[in-house]
Amino acid sequence: MIRVLIVAFDGLQPSQVRADLTPNLFNFAAGGVTFARNHPVFPTVTRINVASLVTGRHPGAHGLAGNTVVMRDYDPNNIVEAMEPVLTRVAEETGEVLLVPTLADILHENGEEYVALGVGTSGNAYVQNSRAESLGGATIHPEFSLPRGLHDKLIKRFGAWPATTSPNVPQMEQGARVLIEYVLAERKPTVALIWFSEPDSSNHKAGVGSGLSNRALASADEQFGRIIGWLEDSGTLKETDVIVVSDHGYATIDSVVDIDAELRKAGFPHGGQPGGVLAASNGGAVLFYAHEADPVTVERLARWLAQQPWSGALLAAERVGIVPGTLPASVGNIDGRRSPDLTMSFAWSSAPNDAGFPGQTASSGGAVGVGTHGGMSRHELRNTLIARGPSFLWSTVIDTPTGNIDVAPTILHILSVPGGDDMDGRVLYEALDGGDDVSEAECRSVTHAAELGDYRQEVTVTTVRGSAYLDEGNAVSR
């Protein structure tokens, strides 16, 4: 029986999979499939990409629009951070955090189990399997577990979780131990996941390619090697498809914008007042919510943003109608009942940072010179996907565009479990043993443009077999 293990390196860029930085992952990739043009969803932040990984759906469909959001069906006048215990309260009051089934839900319906272990944010872990309390499987995190009673049982057996450090080595070590000794050796779920918080947390502190980031990455790679070594020693590697993912790419901050202060200077009151705007900051992107989704306020906001030197692409939700200078939110695959009224990606360039990694952007937080993500730069919209195991080709590089939305349908296909046909992602047949290649005719790139005075934006999207991948978007003139 084939089982699947997903290993996530938070914020890992494809260019960091190198013999000197990640020797275990580099050697692993050499014998598997490397997806050279993999895409996260936009905004390129963690929790919505986790949601897309486990649902196979774009943010507009699954309903989690960012790391910080406004959920009008929960609280229309305040920004919330998608973390525990807020997400539990959202589920209790609205009935759902995600609007579509997850991989865990689908596997449960078919008599299979999903167990996720997350050494990252509590929101990331919660989204993995939010219904574990009632449906089965499990989510394991240093702060909580689902089902709730599992947390104390694991602490009694493995000891208290270490405090978060930088780099986060002790937590990653304990996570790997719990995964090996409990999840893989005892529970033996059909699909398991471990999420390493590095190199993301160190990138935010010191920048991509910094000494801290490289040490963090080496530590995560060491734990990856430990897990693969256990699979080999236990004789289970030959029946396990290992899929390595990251949630997003990265850029370096070249300027910081206090978006709330700028809005108030421009005369926009708080979002709870008529004509007001709430701005949910997500690093390289900002989600704007007008008071009662007022189209007049949204148009005024868009006209103001189009004049700002730090504003890049602008996407408007269908509910506010046609807004001059903006593109429809559906272009970025983010339109839906919980989507913001207007979404902005900060302006960016491909200039390298001090360590030679390309990509510079304005940001709503952080500090100049450190790492960020969230925006539409091509550097944030490229991330890691590597697969190796009995279902996959050997030593192959796939140049066809792929994305995080493709992980869930591909896993379901491998396991012969129904449920992937309704997803936005596709089965990656071109990477499977006995699968078929994607022809040039099946790949189509389109650049969408909008203008308002001196402002012009362009957003490029590539579609492969009906699945859409956002390549990049920016203001190209002003």
Side-chain angles (χ1 to χ4, degrees), residues 166-212:
S166 184
N168 200 19
V169 176
Q171 282 194 355
M172 292 193 296
E173 289 177 342
Q174 177 129 328
R177 183 187 172 203
V178 175
L179 177 81
I180 290 169
E181 296 181 21
Y182 172 68
V183 177
L184 298 180
E186 293 184 12
R187 293 194 67 149
K188 301 178 181 177
T190 304
V191 180
L193 173 143
I194 183 166
W195 194 283
F196 294 130
S197 58
E198 299 288 8
D200 180 78
S201 60
S202 295
N203 287 345
H204 282 297
K205 287 182 173 65
V208 183
S210 65
L212 179 66

Side-chain angles (χ1 to χ4, degrees), residues 33-39 396-402 426 430 438 443 464:
V33 179
T34 296
F35 298 86
R37 295 176 65 189
N38 198 62
H39 299 69
T396 302
V397 175
I398 299 291
D399 291 320
T400 308
T402 60
R426 62 189 180 87
E430 64 268 36
V438 175
C443 297
V464 181

Side-chain angles (χ1 to χ4, degrees), residues 89-151:
R89 292 197 290 268
V90 171
E92 290 170 348
E93 295 192 22
T94 70
E96 52 197 359
V97 171
L98 299 181
L99 308 180
V100 294
T102 65
L103 192 55
D105 299 332
I106 295 168
L107 289 170
H108 172 77
E109 290 175 1
N110 289 274
E112 308 292 349
E113 186 178 57
Y114 179 90
V115 176
L117 190 157
V119 180
T121 66
S122 61
N124 172 347
Y126 182 89
V127 170
Q128 294 283 350
N129 187 0
S130 61
R131 296 172 179 161
E133 195 80 56
S134 58
L135 294 184
T139 286
I140 301 166
H141 184 265
E143 298 173 19
F144 75 102
S145 290
L146 299 174
R148 301 287 178 182
L150 180 60
H151 187 63

Side-chain angles (χ1 to χ4, degrees), residues 349-396:
S349 75
S350 290
N353 69 1
D354 291 342
F357 287 91
Q360 302 263 355
T361 184
S363 176
S364 57
V368 172
V370 304
T372 193
H373 51 89
M376 269 196 217
S377 77
R378 67 175 68 107
H379 314 288
E380 296 158 272
L381 280 164
R382 295 295 182 277
N383 63 322
T384 303
L385 180 60
I386 299 165
R388 179 171 171 175
S391 301
F392 291 93
L393 298 173
W394 178 264
S395 192
T396 302

Side-chain angles (χ1 to χ4, degrees), residues 397-411:
V397 175
I398 299 291
D399 291 320
T400 308
T402 60
N404 287 349
I405 56 172
D406 301 327
V407 173
T410 300
I411 288 173

Side-chain angles (χ1 to χ4, degrees), residues 7 9 20-25 165-174 176 194 196-199 201-202 211-227:
V7 181
F9 291 73
D20 59 329
L21 292 178
T22 54
N24 291 301
L25 181 54
T165 59
S166 184
N168 200 19
V169 176
Q171 282 194 355
M172 292 193 296
E173 289 177 342
Q174 177 129 328
I194 183 166
F196 294 130
S197 58
E198 299 288 8
S201 60
S202 295
L212 179 66
S213 174
N214 291 344
R215 290 195 301 275
L217 187 52
S219 297
D221 181 70
E222 182 181 355
Q223 297 311 310
F224 175 73
R226 178 181 167 196
I227 294 165

